Amino acid sequence: MKIVEKSKELNALISGYKKDGLIVGFVPTMGALHEGHLSLVDEASKKSDVVIVSIFVNPNQFNNPNDLDKYPRTIDQDREMLEQTKCAILYYPSVEEVYPEEDKRIFDFGQLDKVMEGQFRPGHFNGVAQVVSRFFDLINPDKAFFGEKDFQQLAIIKKMTKLLGYEIEIVPCAIIRESDGLAMSSRNMLLTDECRSEAPIIAQKLFESKNLLSTKNIKEVINFVTDEINKSGILEVEYFEIVDGDTLQPVNNWGDSDFVVGCIAVFADKVRLIDNLIYKKLA
């Protein structure tokens, strides 16, 4: 595995791969890697000839400076983990390398970034689009791999790819969970012991709610999940919405869409956790 910090070196390596006709797969991360990230690398290695992983804590997507400061940075451990995978290049740039000039671009995603995460984290998805498009320009991958845990982010990336005309296949990858159901996240390491013991309730109640579709309407399911999680006394639901999986707009009845997803954000003390569950998806 090569560790590359400069875009010029990265471009030279990628040019060689492209000349050889190799398929380049890209996995963007912010580090603090866990099995969820490694599953993306594994999926990329199955569908690409060469896998590039970036580790970059993107300042442009943090609307809260404290979150940026607290975000875990574990580069030595991350490097060791990636060395056990089929990652060919770890791209580990500085902020100055990614943004040699201030990125002032504003993206228009319609309603996709106005709801859920966008409502509570203004500017977040614009920052995500800035950094991912920057990496797409630098790397020009054939395929890029994103986890479904960040469901809204995935929808934004798909939209951005179309808006900017990239001929890059966006590959969604399934949520990887701890043995107790908690969705894997770099933020999990910030949880206190008490919060960590309670956090699996989020997934438990989501899974339980899937059994209610034949007897409860959407509003009742939303109330059930919200109330059950809040009962813990430690967890506090910021939002739980049941939406169309493509538009991210709320659905009022189970029959209103062929693709129905429940998306949730929960505070465990000061740590914010997100998760989601697909209730219905017709091929």
Side-chain angles (χ1 to χ4, degrees):
M1 183 180 76
K2 294 182 175 68
I3 301 175
V4 177
E5 297 183 5
K6 300 296 183 181
S7 57
K8 287 184 179 179
E9 181 183 355
L10 183 68
N11 289 336
L13 290 167
I14 292 170
S15 294
Y17 297 142
K18 295 282 188 177
K19 286 179 182 177
D20 292 338
L22 300 179
I23 296 172
V24 175
F26 174 48
V27 180
T29 82
M30 293 206 301
L33 302 183
H34 49 68
E35 290 299 322
H37 295 110
L38 299 186
S39 73
L40 300 180
V41 179
D42 182 57
E43 190 67 17
S45 69
K46 293 175 182 176
K47 297 182 176 179
S48 317
D49 300 312
V50 178
V51 179
I52 299 172
V53 177
S54 65
I55 292 180
F56 178 66
V57 181
N58 175 35
N60 290 16
Q61 69 189 69
F62 286 85
N63 53 315
N64 184 338
N66 291 331
D67 279 351
L68 175 61
D69 292 339
K70 290 189 299 183
Y71 198 86
R73 293 162 172 83
T74 57
I75 185 60
D76 292 335
Q77 179 182 318
D78 294 345
R79 186 186 68 248
E80 291 176 7
M81 293 174 73
L82 286 174
E83 284 173 346
Q84 306 305 313
T85 72
K86 294 182 179 179
C87 174
I89 296 175
L90 165 56
Y91 182 45
Y92 182 54
S94 65
V95 173
E96 293 74 23
E97 192 70 23
V98 176
Y99 300 115
E101 298 178 356
E102 183 182 358
D103 193 335
K104 296 181 179 180
R105 292 175 297 164
I106 303 295
F107 294 85
D108 182 2
F109 296 116
Q111 292 301 309
L112 283 181
D113 63 340
K114 306 294 190 298
V115 297
M116 298 188 297
E117 292 296 288
Q119 181 181 351
F120 290 95
R121 303 179 69 188
H124 169 70
F125 287 121
N126 199 75
V128 169
Q130 287 176 342
V131 75
V132 173
S133 61
R134 177 74 177 133
F135 281 145
F136 281 3
D137 290 338
L138 287 170
I139 296 168
N140 188 26
D142 299 287
K143 303 179 181 185
F145 298 78
F146 294 85
E148 289 184 330
K149 183 180 79 70
D150 296 288
F151 191 85
Q152 188 171 7
Q153 173 179 276
L154 180 58
I156 293 285
I157 296 300
K158 288 178 179 178
K159 180 72 170 179
M160 182 208 73
T161 301
K162 290 181 180 178
L163 283 174
L164 299 183
Y166 291 117
E167 294 184 359
I168 299 170
E169 180 185 354
I170 305 301
V171 183
C173 301
I175 297 173
I176 304 299
R177 298 183 179 277
E178 304 283 0
S179 59
D180 56 13
L182 179 64
M184 288 190 178
S185 170
S186 302
R187 294 175 184 266
N188 292 352
M189 66 178 64
L190 301 175
L191 294 169
T192 64
D193 290 343
E194 185 179 28
C195 287
R196 178 61 186 84
S197 68
E198 292 291 301
I201 293 173
I202 301 167
Q204 290 169 13
K205 297 309 173 183
L206 285 177
F207 294 143
E208 283 181 28
S209 73
K210 200 166 187 179
N211 299 322
L212 303 176
L213 272 59
S214 61
T215 59
K216 303 286 186 183
N217 62 36
I218 284 179
K219 185 175 181 180
E220 289 171 332
V221 169
I222 290 174
N223 290 340
F224 167 81
V225 171
T226 303
D227 292 344
E228 288 293 308
I229 292 173
N230 286 342
K231 278 181 185 177
S232 75
I234 293 174
L235 305 177
E236 182 179 356
V237 175
E238 183 175 47
Y239 70 78
F240 176 52
E241 297 192 22
I242 296 178
V243 302
D244 178 280
D246 293 315
T247 68
L248 304 185
Q249 295 304 297
V251 293
N252 297 315
N253 300 289
W254 298 114
D256 287 351
S257 170
D258 292 334
F259 188 9
V260 180
V261 185
C263 298
I264 194 166
V266 178
F267 277 101
D269 195 7
K270 296 180 181 179
V271 180
R272 189 173 183 277
L273 304 173
I274 63 171
D275 202 345
N276 65 79
L277 181 71
I278 296 175
Y279 287 108
K280 180 173 70 169
K281 186 175 184 179
L282 299 183

